[in-house]
Amino acid sequence: MKKLLSLLMAAMLVFILAACTASNNAGTDTNENTNNNDNASGEKVLRLNNGSEPTSLDPPIGFDSYSWNALNNLMEGLTRLNDEHLPQEATAEKWDVSEDGKTYTFYIRDNATWSNGDDVTAGDFEFAWKRLLNPETASPAAFLGYFIEGGEAYNNGEGSADDVQVKALDDKTLEVTLVAPQTYFLSVITNPAFFPINEKVATENPEWFAEADSFVGNGPFNLAEWEHESHFVMAKNDQYWDADTVKLDKVHWAIVNDTNTEYQMYQAGDLDTSGVPADASEALFAEGKVNIGEQAGTYFFRFGVDKEPFQNANIRKAFAMAVNQQDIVDYVTKRGEEAATGFVSSGFTDPSGKDFRETNGDLVTFNAEEAKALLEKGMEEEGYETLPEVTLTYNTSDEHKRIAETMQQMFKDNLGVDVKLANMEWNVFLDMQTALEFQFSRSSFLADYADPINFLENFQTGHSMNRTGWSNSKYDELIQSALNETDETARYEQMYEAEKVLFEDMPIIPLYFYNHVYLQNEAVKGIVRHPVGYIELKWADKE
């Protein structure tokens, strides 16, 4: 990923100025296994597993992988990531950029239409982006719109929608003005949070996104069926401007949150792809059946810093240093992940060509002896003779359970602390974590765009993605400086320092950096799995 993401950033600089057209030919991933391809019915049906029920198919609300994978194929923004993971023209056929790099003028295709036949207009984008930033929407993704002039003030209740510099100049022309030039802006707006919303449909039915029969999209596929908590089905969208490129007739998504069940379904031909269950990983890797791809993201745990005993930094550090990340990736997950010793994953290079993670070093490492000493120090500071009861909460999944149980044993062995475990279904879990109701909980972050600031901006005071209650004024200042800094060397220095400040206080425990590890039916071609982004089915095929 190191070379990939550095090349990506360099290529984007050229791309922003040239706005050239990229190839529509997608990459190919294959693996040994043949299953039913529905050719008997004359249809090409791809069978995938979504893992859990989508949080929401309302673009600014469904801000997680369970929603993204669906939304990215049901809808489309101004730009779309191609098979080389670079933003290319999508609903916008071209754009202009002002000399100062702050104002973008997008020209929407004349043949861009909604699945109900309506034209996609610049007004639909203005409506959607201002709705993303509207504080009443309460979008967890609103912070992504802070690049836009007036966006942050509106979202914070200090400005109005009229101050947000997104404007439909006419039905097919959208003008956007940024706070400062951003080399990654065209990548940011590939995120589902920036998808358009059919204003007429949303006005008539505010719950348009909740069921298949009311859903209106503008992407390669339509939502044909949705049986909640069971499955959903996408069908090719003949109204899509590039429908001739789409080869699949349908995509059937199961909703199964157990990796062993998923693998059994794959073996039986009921799924075309599968994750790699830990119990079978050694054999599958040895047989060469596993595909490995890059992914920018971090599996980690959050402390509720306003919940005892984690109001104490030394107690948080003790718990962090009691976890042996390498043992977890070697003996529990078994997918070749990189143990995380910081929050920003490997693969992002600074202006000197050095990797961010290597440069900033190991900010947390396993050390049982020091962990025990820090626990004693923290308990003395708080006047604890006995540590208050600790509960670790995770969302339902066999793998999350195995990881939590392993950590539970590590806390017992390395700290002498008995930690209770609790689990709950994803949507309930997410709501409670967002409301800061957990003492100690499992979490994950997948990058929204290809820059370290996307990892680090999450822990600003009051940020929707913070979910710890942690606040540090020095950290906030560094992040705000980095977000507005145009000198790349200075910007990276600010980000390096910010990550160190984060780990001086330790409101989180990083566990490992994600990768794409999967099995795939050899009859399936052209699925694109972006290191930063979502699964792409526009170019997928099934022989």
Side-chain angles (χ1 to χ4, degrees):
M1 186 186 291
K2 298 174 185 177
K3 291 183 179 179
L4 170 65
L5 290 177
S6 60
L7 288 172
L8 184 150
M9 295 308 297
M12 281 178 63
L13 287 169
V14 176
F15 189 82
I16 288 169
L17 297 175
C20 58
T21 302
S23 169
N24 280 349
N25 295 324
T28 299
D29 298 308
T30 63
N31 193 27
E32 180 181 273
N33 193 10
T34 56
N35 68 7
N36 300 323
N37 64 6
D38 297 87
N39 280 344
S41 63
E43 291 186 321
K44 291 183 177 182
V45 181
L46 183 66
R47 298 184 178 275
L48 303 175
N49 179 30
N50 202 52
S52 285
E53 172 86 354
T55 304
S56 175
L57 294 185
D58 184 4
I61 301 300
F63 194 56
D64 54 66
S65 62
Y66 298 126
S67 307
W68 283 341
N69 285 332
L71 281 168
N72 191 53
N73 294 285
L74 293 168
M75 303 187 75
E76 181 173 85
L78 295 165
T79 58
R80 190 177 198 92
L81 296 179
N82 65 12
D83 59 313
E84 295 180 347
H85 318 299
L86 295 171
Q88 68 175 32
E89 298 90 339
T91 302
E93 62 181 352
K94 61 181 180 178
W95 51 83
D96 299 324
V97 185
S98 62
E99 286 188 12
D100 64 3
K102 292 173 61 176
T103 300
Y104 287 71
T105 305
F106 294 94
Y107 304 94
I108 296 169
R109 298 176 187 275
D110 288 336
N111 61 341
T113 60
W114 291 101
S115 54
N116 67 353
D118 292 345
D119 283 343
V120 177
T121 68
D124 291 330
F125 279 95
E126 180 180 351
F127 170 76
W129 290 18
K130 288 184 175 180
R131 180 169 173 266
L132 164 71
L133 291 161
N134 188 333
E136 293 183 5
T137 303
S139 168
F143 69 95
L144 293 175
Y146 289 3
F147 295 126
I148 301 168
E149 184 70 43
E152 184 172 7
Y154 178 40
N155 189 241
N156 290 337
E158 299 169 357
S160 70
D162 291 339
D163 298 326
V164 179
Q165 296 304 299
V166 177
K167 184 178 181 180
L169 302 182
D170 57 42
D171 281 351
K172 293 292 184 177
T173 311
L174 184 76
E175 183 182 84
V176 184
T177 302
L178 308 183
V179 174
Q182 299 292 352
T183 58
Y184 39 82
F185 178 63
L186 294 175
S187 179
V188 174
I189 60 174
T190 66
N191 188 283
F194 293 94
F195 288 171
I197 292 173
N198 187 314
E199 183 175 6
K200 182 180 71 174
V201 168
T203 301
E204 293 175 355
N205 177 16
E207 296 295 313
W208 63 272
F209 51 81
E211 302 294 340
D213 59 3
S214 58
F215 189 91
V216 176
N218 69 321
F221 297 91
N222 290 326
L223 186 60
E225 180 182 340
W226 188 2
E227 186 175 331
H228 294 278
E229 305 294 344
S230 171
H231 68 275
F232 56 95
V233 178
M234 298 177 183
K236 180 177 177 178
N237 178 12
D238 292 332
Q239 297 287 334
Y240 180 53
W241 68 269
D242 198 20
D244 289 345
T245 298
V246 181
K247 302 176 181 68
L248 297 172
D249 294 300
K250 290 182 179 179
V251 184
H252 185 286
W253 296 80
I255 298 176
V256 175
N257 61 22
D258 183 88
T259 55
N260 289 304
T261 302
E262 179 186 66
Y263 178 54
Q264 290 165 6
M265 292 174 68
Y266 173 76
Q267 288 181 303
D270 295 326
L271 290 176
D272 287 309
T273 70
S274 170
V276 178
D279 293 343
S281 65
E282 187 173 351
L284 291 169
F285 271 97
E287 294 169 10
K289 294 184 176 181
V290 179
N291 298 278
I292 303 175
E294 298 164 341
Q295 187 173 26
T298 310
Y299 188 112
F300 68 106
F301 291 81
R302 302 179 193 261
F303 293 113
V305 301
D306 59 348
K307 303 283 194 299
E308 288 194 282
F310 298 123
Q311 79 281 6
N312 184 280
N314 283 317
I315 293 176
R316 297 195 298 268
K317 291 176 184 178
F319 272 71
M321 297 185 75
V323 176
N324 189 327
Q325 290 99 331
Q326 194 62 52
D327 276 359
I328 290 175
V329 298
D330 286 345
Y331 305 116
V332 181
T333 59
K334 302 180 185 178
R335 287 190 300 267
E337 301 98 338
E338 178 185 353
T341 57
F343 191 65
V344 177
S345 66
S346 300
F348 300 96
T349 54
D350 66 18
S352 68
K354 296 179 180 178
D355 183 84
F356 186 103
R357 182 71 278 123
E358 291 179 7
T359 299
N360 228 28
D362 298 337
L363 301 182
V364 57
T365 55
F366 170 62
N367 187 321
E369 186 175 339
E370 188 170 348
K372 191 169 291 185
L374 284 167
L375 179 63
E376 292 176 0
K377 182 179 180 180
M379 290 180 65
E380 183 177 338
E381 290 170 346
E382 299 299 329
Y384 292 146
E385 292 187 8
T386 302
L387 192 72
E389 185 177 276
V390 173
T391 299
L392 170 58
T393 308
Y394 59 93
N395 57 295
T396 303
S397 158
D398 61 312
E399 181 164 299
H400 299 334
K401 179 181 180 182
R402 288 197 305 272
I403 290 171
E405 288 174 343
T406 303
M407 291 177 62
Q408 180 186 46
Q409 190 61 49
M410 289 178 176
F411 295 136
K412 177 66 174 177
D413 293 343
N414 300 326
L415 295 178
V417 173
D418 290 312
V419 171
K420 293 186 175 182
L421 302 181
N423 76 290
M424 57 188 63
E425 292 305 309
W426 170 247
N427 285 327
V428 177
F429 174 88
L430 182 61
D431 286 345
M432 292 185 66
Q433 188 182 71
T434 302
L436 306 183
E437 294 185 28
F438 292 140
Q439 181 188 31
F440 186 25
S441 60
R442 175 261 164 193
S443 201
S444 64
F445 174 75
L446 297 176
D448 308 304
Y449 55 94
D451 194 272
I453 195 66
N454 186 218
F455 286 74
L456 297 171
E457 65 185 337
N458 291 326
F459 296 100
Q460 295 175 89
T461 300
H463 196 284
S464 61
M465 296 294 287
N466 189 320
R467 302 180 196 165
T468 64
W470 181 68
S471 175
N472 184 294
S473 59
K474 182 179 179 181
Y475 185 87
D476 294 344
E477 290 171 8
L478 286 165
I479 297 302
Q480 284 302 309
S481 293
L483 284 166
N484 293 289
E485 180 60 66
T486 57
D487 180 275
E488 281 295 280
T489 299
R491 191 172 74 89
Y492 266 80
E493 287 303 321
Q494 291 160 353
M495 292 190 291
Y496 286 138
E497 187 177 354
E499 192 189 38
K500 289 175 181 175
V501 171
L502 177 68
F503 279 87
E504 285 169 5
D505 273 4
M506 204 75 73
I508 60 172
I509 304 177
L511 205 62
Y512 61 79
F513 298 130
Y514 281 105
N515 56 7
H516 282 302
V517 176
Y518 60 97
L519 306 171
Q520 185 165 296
N521 176 4
E522 64 180 4
V524 173
K525 317 289 183 183
I527 294 177
V528 178
R529 295 170 172 84
H530 298 296
V532 178
Y534 337 98
I535 193 168
E536 191 72 67
L537 304 177
K538 174 176 176 175
W539 301 287
D541 197 4
K542 186 173 177 182
E543 297 175 348

